[in-house]
Amino acid sequence: MSWDTVALEWTDDVATVTVDRPDSLNALNRETLLALEEAVARTRDDEARAVVLTGAGEDAFVAGADIAAMQEMDTDEAQEYTVIGHRVFDAIQNHEAPVIAAVNGYAFGGGCELALASDLRVASENAVFGQTEIDLGIIPGWGGTQRLPRIVGDATARRMIFLGERLGADEAAEVGLVEEVVPGDDLEDTVAGIAEEISAKPRFAMSAAKEALNQAHESPESAGLAFERRLWSGLFGTHDQREGMEAFLEKRDPDFE
Ligand code: COA
């Protein structure tokens, strides 16, 4: 399945969504953002067990929102652009399956925010991250002010957003922005390996784990703990719960749904 600037490919139950607008370093203009939204919705409708997000080419993951398009916008148009961006990135964050960002180059502005909306981030050695909006006279507008501090801590987020600091892959790993840095040639295989491993795990437990982890940032801890209790007990009686425990006790590999 392919739109002009976004491609969707499948390997078994793993979907790979590629932003493909190399002339603009995969910057997300309105059309590309909407194509990304449709592609993500498709991965959900077709029940992907893991989703990989990446950018075409070797230079950029996504170099941000489209600056040429933004330059012309008035407040109402900017409002519409931020609403669409939030809708797409919320859909990624709330996707039932884990989403892995394979960051293969520049991840600036909205590109960094796209990685932040994902569950896991793996970077190639040439990746560079930055919430660079301050130098354009704006601030992150697709979730960066909320998701970045949660992932890297408040002080690092303030430094990145106030100074428009750019972090190389190793620096990004040091502050917890990426989990793993690999040579560019290994990125695809590394991420495919993680996605395959995730897709072999029990589906309902995986989506419950993600939902419970997301809830930790949505509500007071007491409400999050109550939510976890409900999700946890709700898994009892499922095929995968019975099978997983039975297999352990019988000292064999589980056969999940
Ligand atoms: N929006 C629109 N176009 C973009 C873009 C963006 N966010 N980022 C890059 N491009 C375009 C450039 O305008 C250029 O187009 P052109 O060939 O028609 O002139 C093309 O992509 C290549 O970019 P260029 O700047 O020539 O490449 P570079 O290798 O010298 O620099 C970057 C790469 C990423 C450092 C630089 O493009 C950059 O700083 N981009 C803006 C990043 C940013 O601030 N993003 C946040 C937006 S909210």
Side-chain angles (χ1 to χ4, degrees):
M1 189 75 211
S2 175
W3 294 259
D4 282 349
T5 52
V6 171
L8 170 58
E9 292 160 314
W10 290 84
T11 305
D12 301 322
D13 291 328
V14 176
T16 298
V17 176
T18 305
V19 179
D20 187 1
R21 210 182 154 225
D23 289 350
S24 301
L25 298 180
N26 304 326
L28 296 174
N29 60 1
R30 192 174 186 281
E31 181 204 342
T32 309
L33 202 50
L34 292 173
L36 180 61
E37 180 172 38
E38 280 186 31
V40 169
R42 186 65 62 87
T43 66
R44 197 173 179 149
D45 293 348
D46 292 347
E47 300 185 346
R49 297 178 79 129
V51 178
V52 176
L53 292 180
T54 195
E58 289 169 10
D59 296 331
F61 174 64
V62 165
D66 191 293
I67 299 170
M70 286 192 293
Q71 194 204 4
E72 307 291 331
M73 286 180 187
D74 61 21
T75 306
D76 287 345
E77 289 163 332
Q79 170 75 14
E80 198 214 358
Y81 200 37
T82 183
V83 166
I84 299 173
H86 272 248
R87 205 171 65 212
V88 180
F89 290 17
D90 285 356
I92 290 167
Q93 180 166 305
N94 296 319
H95 199 296
E96 280 161 13
V99 178
I100 308 167
V103 183
N104 54 317
Y106 296 116
F108 286 163
C112 191
E113 289 168 300
L114 180 59
L116 294 172
S118 306
D119 294 277
L120 300 171
R121 288 155 289 277
V122 181
S124 62
E125 286 167 343
N126 73 331
V128 191
F129 294 80
Q131 295 297 161
T132 53
E133 291 89 344
I134 197 84
D135 294 323
L136 299 168
I138 56 172
I139 63 170
W142 289 343
T145 62
Q146 307 304 302
R147 294 189 177 109
L148 185 63
R150 164 154 69 68
I151 292 168
V152 302
D154 190 74
T156 302
R158 280 172 201 264
R159 214 181 57 216
M160 285 180 70
I161 291 174
F162 289 168
L163 302 180
E165 226 175 42
R166 286 129 166 94
L167 302 188
D170 289 333
E171 289 172 294
E174 270 168 37
V175 299
L177 183 48
V178 297
E179 290 80 47
E180 194 174 351
V181 179
V182 296
D185 288 346
D186 297 346
L187 183 65
E188 199 179 323
D189 286 350
T190 303
V191 171
I194 298 169
E196 194 186 324
E197 201 176 330
I198 287 174
S199 72
K201 302 284 186 197
R203 181 194 290 275
F204 295 121
M206 184 62 69
S207 65
K210 175 165 170 171
E211 207 183 342
L213 284 160
N214 283 354
Q215 190 65 27
H217 309 289
E218 293 291 335
S219 54
E221 190 173 308
S222 56
L225 290 170
F227 188 69
E228 183 194 84
R229 286 196 294 275
R230 281 200 302 280
L231 280 176
W232 191 79
S233 46
L235 290 168
F236 282 71
T238 62
H239 168 275
D240 287 343
Q241 176 263 327
R242 289 176 192 274
E243 170 63 11
M245 295 186 184
E246 209 171 281
F248 174 80
L249 294 172
E250 290 172 3
K251 302 188 190 308
R252 60 173 173 81
D253 287 336
D255 182 16
F256 290 128
E257 245 172 18

